[in-house]
């Protein structure tokens, strides 16, 4: 671990990014050429004091999760992300999973969808990053695969009407079969299949059908605790290797979802008045 070099590297990466590049307002009284420390801390989900200590070359060794968040906040490319982890004395994480690196280009596109619920997920349905409207519509992101939770934690199914559950089960299993082919035979995707076959009879039965279909887009009904059922079109834009996808939600024309998402944009993640 080289905290002094880590601090200098963070400073240099912060100085090169303009607020506009990450979707922040550009003020006329900015005293630094790039982002402020508090802006980086906010985007990475860290306290300002903690981030300041990192730039000063002090403090505790950053966790893998914090390093991944800083790499995304600072729009690091693959080589820069690897360098960040090595300076922090952490092994470079695998290409998949919740610590997977997201390309700056995909993050830049996410920044431009501030008025639309959007997130970046893996092909195993792990949320890597999401914007404020996605959090307001879908709830906070978790470290676990939503697909895995779907077949092992019944409570997560409340996000969709019960009548839609069989459809989502079928589609997710078909999508997972396509993902397994992209992953190493002994990797996380294969391990997930093994776990779910043992944990869920429903999953095992669907897997044995052999159906495969990449989930590119579909009509969804999302149950929101305050807005009720929101009808949206869910669309996916894929990375070149297919391991990640930018997923965004737009209202179905002619439904109340147009007004519901407009209200969600105003209220955000705040509690709705009852």
């Amino acid at each position: 671990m080289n905290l002094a070099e880590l601090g200098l590297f963070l400073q240099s990466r912060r100085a090169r990014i303009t607020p506009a590049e990450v979707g922040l307002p550009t003020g006329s009284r900015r005293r630094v050429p790039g982002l402020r420390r508090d802006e980086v801390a906010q985007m990475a989900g860290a306290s300002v004091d903690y981030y300041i200590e990192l730039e000063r070359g002090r403090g505790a060794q950053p966790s893998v999760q914090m390093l991944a968040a800083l790499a995304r906040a600072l729009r690091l490319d693959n080589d820069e992300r690897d360098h960040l982890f090595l300076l922090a004395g952490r092994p470079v994480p695998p290409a998949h999973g919740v610590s997977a690196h997201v390309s700056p280009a995909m993050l830049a596109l996410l920044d431009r969808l501030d008025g639309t619920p959007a997130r970046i997920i893996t092909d195993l349905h792990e949320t890597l990053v999401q914007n404020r409207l996605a959090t307001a519509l879908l709830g906070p992101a978790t470290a676990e695969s939503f697909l895995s939770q779907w077949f092992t934690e019944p409570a997560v199914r409340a996000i969709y009407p019960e009548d839609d559950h069989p459809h989502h089960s079928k589609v997710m299993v078909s999508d997972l079969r396509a993902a397994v082919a992209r992953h190493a035979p002994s990797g996380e995707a294969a391990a997930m299949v093994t776990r779910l076959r043992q944990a869920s009879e429903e999953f095992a039965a669907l897997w044995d059908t052999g159906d495969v279909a990449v989930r590119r887009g579909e009509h969804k009904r999302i149950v929101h605790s305050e807005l009720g059922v929101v009808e949206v079109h869910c669309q996916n834009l894929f990375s070149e290797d297919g391991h990640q996808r930018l997923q965004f939600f737009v209202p179905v024309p002619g439904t109340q979802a147009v007004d519901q998402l407009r209200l969600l944009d105003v209220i955000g993640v705040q509690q709705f008045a009852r």
Side-chain angles (χ1 to χ4, degrees):
M1 181 172 60
N2 190 334
L3 286 178
E5 283 297 322
L6 176 66
L8 292 173
F9 185 63
L10 290 173
Q11 291 178 44
S12 69
R13 301 305 89 183
R14 175 172 60 85
R16 69 174 184 170
I17 302 177
T18 66
E21 288 178 290
V22 293
L24 294 175
T26 303
S28 58
R29 296 186 176 182
R30 301 184 67 88
R31 294 181 293 177
V32 293
L35 297 177
R36 298 192 302 264
R37 291 188 178 94
D38 63 294
E39 291 170 335
V40 175
Q42 181 180 5
M43 289 189 297
S47 72
V48 177
D49 290 340
Y50 174 77
Y51 181 75
I52 289 175
E53 286 296 291
L54 281 182
E55 280 207 0
R56 290 175 176 172
R58 299 198 292 263
Q61 182 184 31
S63 67
V64 169
Q65 292 77 14
M66 177 53 60
L67 291 169
L70 287 171
R72 293 166 190 162
L74 294 170
R75 303 301 189 260
L76 304 187
D77 62 25
N78 289 332
D79 292 336
E80 291 170 330
R81 190 283 306 262
D82 293 353
H83 186 62
L84 178 71
F85 273 76
L86 293 173
L87 288 177
R90 299 288 189 185
V92 175
H96 314 298
V98 294
S99 296
H101 190 54
V102 182
S103 74
M106 191 171 281
L107 286 169
L109 184 54
L110 179 66
D111 290 334
R112 284 159 177 75
L113 293 175
D114 187 57
T116 301
R119 61 184 180 177
I120 297 172
I121 66 174
T122 70
D123 56 356
L124 300 184
H125 297 259
E126 301 152 319
T127 300
L128 300 176
V129 60
Q130 63 185 20
N131 65 14
R132 62 184 183 89
L133 280 182
T135 300
L137 179 63
L138 307 170
T142 65
E144 190 175 354
S145 161
F146 180 75
L147 189 155
S148 180
Q149 290 179 303
W150 180 264
F151 290 101
T152 59
E153 301 176 26
V156 306
R157 297 194 175 201
I159 193 171
Y160 299 126
E162 188 172 356
D163 290 346
D164 297 350
H165 291 180
H167 166 76
H168 289 296
S169 294
K170 182 179 185 299
V171 170
M172 279 193 281
V173 173
S174 297
D175 188 69
L176 176 60
R177 185 178 296 278
V180 168
R182 290 189 291 268
H183 288 250
S186 59
E188 174 56 27
M192 178 182 289
V193 172
T194 300
R195 290 196 305 270
L196 292 180
R197 282 180 64 88
Q198 296 172 350
S200 169
E201 292 182 0
E202 179 191 17
F203 177 88
L206 289 169
W207 185 261
D208 289 342
T209 66
D211 291 345
V212 57
V214 176
R215 196 174 196 174
R216 294 182 172 85
E218 62 181 326
H219 179 180
K220 286 186 176 183
R221 297 191 299 162
I222 296 175
V223 179
H224 190 276
S225 59
E226 302 296 338
L227 297 177
V229 177
V230 184
E231 295 189 58
V232 296
H233 286 306
C234 174
Q235 298 295 325
N236 294 289
L237 299 177
F238 293 82
S239 61
E240 290 185 7
D241 60 10
H243 288 301
Q244 295 179 9
R245 58 191 72 173
L246 173 62
Q247 189 175 76
F248 59 96
F249 305 83
V250 295
V252 174
T255 71
Q256 62 179 347
V258 176
D259 293 329
Q260 288 171 316
L261 291 186
R262 186 179 296 119
L263 177 59
L264 197 66
D265 192 15
V266 173
I267 303 298
V269 295
Q270 301 177 27
Q271 183 66 34
F272 287 86
R274 294 186 179 276

